[in-house]
Amino acid sequence: MFFNSLKKFLFGQDEKTVEVKQENFIVCPYCLQDNLIDRKTCEKCNREFTEIYRKHFCRSELVTAPIIGYTAAGKSVFLDSILYSLFELQRPELWSQLLLHAVDEETQNWFDGVRASRANGTIPPANAPNHEAKRVFVGRNLPLWGKRTFAFRDVAGENFDGFVFGKFVVDFCVRSHCAILVLDANAAIENPARPINTLFDRYVTTLIEHKARLDNRKILVVLSKADKLRGYLPTNLSSYLDADPLRGFVAKDSPYYFDLSNNTQLHKHCRHSLEELDKQLAAWVATLPGGQQMTQLAMEEKIDLRYTMVSGWGADPTMGANSAPLRMLDPLFQLLEFHSKEV
């Protein structure tokens, strides 16, 4: 009894939580189908489970999310910028122990492509309509979260234009209890004929038509290209966008400053600052066409809707600006927090 209490004091967990649970099934990271643990390929999509995935697989550590967004919303740039920001975190003064492993050749090629894209200052090409970009990688030694395996699905925006989502993404959306909606709020402001809630409405309709449970879904709404929103956002939100801890120019007396290498400050940012950001962005989105309806639908369907904003390039790439993504860590942290709350 004393030993269990001591472990709980030291690690914040009791003995039952600390023990590694024996897995009877392995989740396919490409279609999210459950398979018997001894299978080498998925019985649904026939994709092979690489040995590195099998080595690191743990159901409680698997973080999944389809990247949902209309054409030109910035989905691929968003996902590339998440990875690039993780590369930046490996600097000696930040998370030097962070290890990133691609679990298949497609993802390894993506790793190499992101490095080349940022080095050359070139925007990655958009996904072809019939291409499913699968991004599966392991992150080890993440402060606060330990080890996680990330499985993302990125497909062309044409798959989200219909009454329900296209076949390339529907299964992944239904099976993943978390999703990332990438919205170009600037486009919605300039074109009120397509209010900001249409994508979320189609996501909910897709789930209903496929008889999936809606309650307890975790949806992260990412306002992309936020550098273009400075003329519309309240002053405090514009200031927050520029106060990116990875960029290194945030004054220590700024209300937005926190030290990424300090776990206490990181914890405070993830558990408090991001909640405040969500409230402020939700209030602002409610002023846009369809914003209030999106919030109302999420409430009625018991879907946990959270907001964050990013600029995957930092400025309009047509102006020749160097790549300096802004606030890309916030959606990553939100996703990890969703997972820690038992998605």
Side-chain angles (χ1 to χ4, degrees):
M1 188 74 170
F2 171 78
F3 179 69
N4 289 345
S5 299
L6 180 61
K7 290 184 80 172
K8 189 169 185 179
F9 173 76
L10 291 174
F11 303 108
Q13 298 170 306
D14 57 29
E15 185 178 18
K16 292 181 180 178
T17 305
V18 172
E19 289 177 349
V20 177
K21 187 175 181 180
Q22 181 66 39
E23 298 280 359
N24 296 319
F25 296 90
I26 184 169
V27 178
C28 174
Y30 309 109
C31 70
L32 305 187
Q33 171 73 30
D34 266 341
N35 292 264
L36 292 174
I37 194 68
D38 58 352
R39 283 190 65 92
K40 301 297 183 182
T41 60
C42 176
E43 64 178 353
K44 180 176 177 62
C45 69
N46 295 319
R47 284 290 296 262
E48 180 184 0
F49 302 134
T50 60
E51 287 304 312
I52 192 167
Y53 180 70
R54 297 179 68 84
K55 172 181 171 63
H56 289 289
F57 173 76
C58 179
R59 185 182 299 271
S60 65
E61 296 172 350
L62 186 59
V63 179
T64 69
I67 313 299
I68 300 170
Y70 291 132
T71 301
K75 299 184 301 301
S76 296
V77 173
F78 164 77
L79 199 50
D80 284 14
S81 298
I82 288 282
L83 181 62
Y84 178 70
S85 298
L86 284 169
F87 289 155
E88 289 188 289
L89 280 172
Q90 293 179 310
R91 298 199 303 253
E93 71 274 19
L94 296 176
W95 298 358
S96 60
Q97 294 184 321
L98 174 62
L99 301 176
L100 301 171
H101 308 279
V103 306
D104 56 33
E105 186 172 4
E106 180 181 350
T107 304
Q108 184 61 62
N109 290 339
W110 175 55
F111 273 34
D112 297 340
V114 167
R115 289 189 176 98
S117 171
R118 298 300 170 169
N120 299 330
T122 55
I123 289 282
N127 284 320
N130 60 348
H131 176 67
E132 303 173 79
K134 303 178 182 69
R135 314 305 193 195
V136 186
F137 63 95
V138 178
R140 290 199 281 175
N141 305 322
L142 289 159
L144 305 186
W145 303 286
K147 187 183 74 174
R148 294 290 184 266
T149 298
F150 298 91
F152 297 118
R153 176 74 65 84
D154 179 20
V155 302
E158 290 87 347
N159 288 280
F160 307 108
D161 284 333
F163 174 63
V164 297
F165 291 167
K167 64 179 181 178
F168 287 112
V169 75
V170 65
D171 283 350
F172 203 88
C173 285
V174 168
R175 291 177 180 275
S176 177
H177 283 250
C178 188
I180 296 174
L181 268 62
V182 179
L183 298 181
D184 184 352
N186 189 68
I189 292 170
E190 294 179 352
N191 181 17
R194 189 176 227 181
I196 203 166
N197 63 313
T198 57
L199 184 63
F200 182 64
D201 285 357
R202 286 170 174 165
Y203 170 78
V204 172
T205 300
T206 298
L207 296 182
I208 292 173
E209 291 301 308
H210 287 83
K211 300 180 181 179
R213 286 188 59 178
L214 274 71
D215 61 301
N216 201 35
R217 297 264 170 171
K218 313 289 186 183
I219 308 301
L220 179 59
V221 177
V222 176
L223 303 180
S224 63
K225 307 177 186 180
D227 56 285
K228 295 183 178 181
L229 295 174
R230 288 191 177 96
Y232 302 107
L233 291 168
T235 303
N236 61 316
L237 287 175
S238 292
S239 299
Y240 179 87
L241 176 66
D242 292 317
D244 189 319
L246 268 179
R247 304 281 72 85
F249 47 62
V250 184
K252 289 190 176 182
D253 60 353
S254 166
Y256 308 116
Y257 173 83
F258 77 98
D259 183 356
L260 276 165
S261 65
N262 185 306
N263 279 4
T264 301
Q265 293 184 29
L266 178 61
H267 181 279
K268 181 179 179 182
H269 176 72
C270 293
R271 309 286 161 85
H272 302 288
S273 299
L274 289 183
E275 289 186 6
E276 183 60 29
L277 173 68
D278 167 62
K279 292 176 184 176
Q280 293 180 27
L281 282 174
W284 180 73
V285 169
T287 68
L288 303 181
Q292 184 61 46
Q293 287 72 31
M294 182 161 60
T295 301
Q296 184 66 29
L297 179 59
M299 189 185 332
E300 293 194 5
E301 298 294 354
K302 298 181 175 59
I303 296 174
D304 191 353
L305 198 67
R306 297 295 177 91
Y307 292 91
T308 187
M309 62 176 176
V310 302
S311 176
W313 208 252
D316 190 336
T318 62
M319 298 173 62
N322 290 328
S323 173
L326 294 174
R327 286 295 177 185
M328 298 308 307
L329 294 180
D330 284 352
L332 178 69
F333 295 158
Q334 284 276 32
L335 191 62
L336 287 163
E337 285 300 288
F338 274 160
H339 178 79
S340 68
K341 293 174 183 176
E342 299 181 357
V343 173

PDB file of all heavy atoms in Angstrom, residues 316-327:
ATOM      1  N   ASP A 316       2.633  35.814 -46.657  1.00  0.00           N
ATOM      2  CA  ASP A 316       2.220  35.403 -47.991  1.00  0.00           C
ATOM      3  C   ASP A 316       3.436  34.908 -48.772  1.00  0.00           C
ATOM      4  O   ASP A 316       4.373  35.685 -49.015  1.00  0.00           O
ATOM      5  CB  ASP A 316       1.580  36.594 -48.716  1.00  0.00           C
ATOM      6  CG  ASP A 316       0.916  36.183 -50.024  1.00  0.00           C
ATOM      7  OD1 ASP A 316       1.314  35.137 -50.585  1.00  0.00           O
ATOM      8  OD2 ASP A 316       0.015  36.902 -50.482  1.00  0.00           O
ATOM      9  N   PRO A 317       3.480  33.639 -49.155  1.00  0.00           N
ATOM     10  CA  PRO A 317       4.670  33.102 -49.845  1.00  0.00           C
ATOM     11  C   PRO A 317       4.946  33.768 -51.186  1.00  0.00           C
ATOM     12  O   PRO A 317       6.080  33.750 -51.656  1.00  0.00           O
ATOM     13  CB  PRO A 317       4.339  31.613 -50.024  1.00  0.00           C
ATOM     14  CG  PRO A 317       2.855  31.529 -49.914  1.00  0.00           C
ATOM     15  CD  PRO A 317       2.453  32.615 -48.973  1.00  0.00           C
ATOM     16  N   THR A 318       3.920  34.384 -51.789  1.00  0.00           N
ATOM     17  CA  THR A 318       4.145  35.056 -53.068  1.00  0.00           C
ATOM     18  C   THR A 318       4.988  36.316 -52.907  1.00  0.00           C
ATOM     19  O   THR A 318       5.509  36.852 -53.892  1.00  0.00           O
ATOM     20  CB  THR A 318       2.802  35.441 -53.723  1.00  0.00           C
ATOM     21  OG1 THR A 318       2.097  36.358 -52.869  1.00  0.00           O
ATOM     22  CG2 THR A 318       1.940  34.212 -53.952  1.00  0.00           C
ATOM     23  N   MET A 319       5.160  36.773 -51.663  1.00  0.00           N
ATOM     24  CA  MET A 319       5.982  37.949 -51.408  1.00  0.00           C
ATOM     25  C   MET A 319       7.453  37.583 -51.235  1.00  0.00           C
ATOM     26  O   MET A 319       8.291  38.446 -50.977  1.00  0.00           O
ATOM     27  CB  MET A 319       5.479  38.666 -50.148  1.00  0.00           C
ATOM     28  CG  MET A 319       4.059  39.185 -50.252  1.00  0.00           C
ATOM     29  SD  MET A 319       3.426  39.843 -48.690  1.00  0.00           S
ATOM     30  CE  MET A 319       4.575  41.187 -48.401  1.00  0.00           C
ATOM     31  N   GLY A 320       7.758  36.281 -51.373  1.00  0.00           N
ATOM     32  CA  GLY A 320       9.141  35.855 -51.254  1.00  0.00           C
ATOM     33  C   GLY A 320       9.636  35.755 -49.823  1.00  0.00           C
ATOM     34  O   GLY A 320      10.842  35.721 -49.571  1.00  0.00           O
ATOM     35  N   ALA A 321       8.696  35.699 -48.873  1.00  0.00           N
ATOM     36  CA  ALA A 321       9.091  35.635 -47.470  1.00  0.00           C
ATOM     37  C   ALA A 321       9.710  34.283 -47.144  1.00  0.00           C
ATOM     38  O   ALA A 321       9.305  33.260 -47.685  1.00  0.00           O
ATOM     39  CB  ALA A 321       7.877  35.881 -46.572  1.00  0.00           C
ATOM     40  N   ASN A 322      10.709  34.297 -46.267  1.00  0.00           N
ATOM     41  CA  ASN A 322      11.287  33.041 -45.805  1.00  0.00           C
ATOM     42  C   ASN A 322      10.287  32.314 -44.926  1.00  0.00           C
ATOM     43  O   ASN A 322       9.403  32.925 -44.321  1.00  0.00           O
ATOM     44  CB  ASN A 322      12.570  33.304 -45.018  1.00  0.00           C
ATOM     45  CG  ASN A 322      13.692  33.794 -45.908  1.00  0.00           C
ATOM     46  OD1 ASN A 322      13.766  33.421 -47.067  1.00  0.00           O
ATOM     47  ND2 ASN A 322      14.548  34.644 -45.373  1.00  0.00           N
ATOM     48  N   SER A 323      10.447  31.008 -44.839  1.00  0.00           N
ATOM     49  CA  SER A 323       9.534  30.198 -44.047  1.00  0.00           C
ATOM     50  C   SER A 323       9.761  30.427 -42.558  1.00  0.00           C
ATOM     51  O   SER A 323      10.841  30.182 -42.040  1.00  0.00           O
ATOM     52  CB  SER A 323       9.749  28.721 -44.382  1.00  0.00           C
ATOM     53  OG  SER A 323       8.994  27.912 -43.524  1.00  0.00           O
ATOM     54  N   ALA A 324       8.747  30.925 -41.879  1.00  0.00           N
ATOM     55  CA  ALA A 324       8.811  31.118 -40.428  1.00  0.00           C
ATOM     56  C   ALA A 324       7.423  30.863 -39.866  1.00  0.00           C
ATOM     57  O   ALA A 324       6.674  31.801 -39.587  1.00  0.00           O
ATOM     58  CB  ALA A 324       9.288  32.516 -40.072  1.00  0.00           C
ATOM     59  N   PRO A 325       7.019  29.599 -39.757  1.00  0.00           N
ATOM     60  CA  PRO A 325       5.666  29.285 -39.290  1.00  0.00           C
ATOM     61  C   PRO A 325       5.380  29.898 -37.928  1.00  0.00           C
ATOM     62  O   PRO A 325       6.266  30.009 -37.077  1.00  0.00           O
ATOM     63  CB  PRO A 325       5.674  27.752 -39.202  1.00  0.00           C
ATOM     64  CG  PRO A 325       6.817  27.321 -40.041  1.00  0.00           C
ATOM     65  CD  PRO A 325       7.829  28.406 -39.982  1.00  0.00           C
ATOM     66  N   LEU A 326       4.136  30.286 -37.736  1.00  0.00           N
ATOM     67  CA  LEU A 326       3.729  30.906 -36.477  1.00  0.00           C
ATOM     68  C   LEU A 326       2.661  30.062 -35.788  1.00  0.00           C
ATOM     69  O   LEU A 326       1.690  29.647 -36.410  1.00  0.00           O
ATOM     70  CB  LEU A 326       3.175  32.314 -36.731  1.00  0.00           C
ATOM     71  CG  LEU A 326       4.169  33.354 -37.250  1.00  0.00           C
ATOM     72  CD1 LEU A 326       3.451  34.652 -37.593  1.00  0.00           C
ATOM     73  CD2 LEU A 326       5.276  33.611 -36.234  1.00  0.00           C
ATOM     74  N   ARG A 327       2.895  29.799 -34.507  1.00  0.00           N
ATOM     75  CA  ARG A 327       1.940  29.143 -33.609  1.00  0.00           C
ATOM     76  C   ARG A 327       1.566  27.733 -34.038  1.00  0.00           C
ATOM     77  O   ARG A 327       0.462  27.261 -33.754  1.00  0.00           O
ATOM     78  CB  ARG A 327       0.685  29.995 -33.453  1.00  0.00           C
ATOM     79  CG  ARG A 327       0.894  31.229 -32.585  1.00  0.00           C
ATOM     80  CD  ARG A 327       1.214  30.818 -31.169  1.00  0.00           C
ATOM     81  NE  ARG A 327       1.503  31.952 -30.296  1.00  0.00           N
ATOM     82  CZ  ARG A 327       1.910  31.852 -29.028  1.00  0.00           C
ATOM     83  NH1 ARG A 327       2.075  30.639 -28.513  1.00  0.00           N
ATOM     84  NH2 ARG A 327       2.152  32.909 -28.312  1.00  0.00           N
TER      85      ARG A 327
END
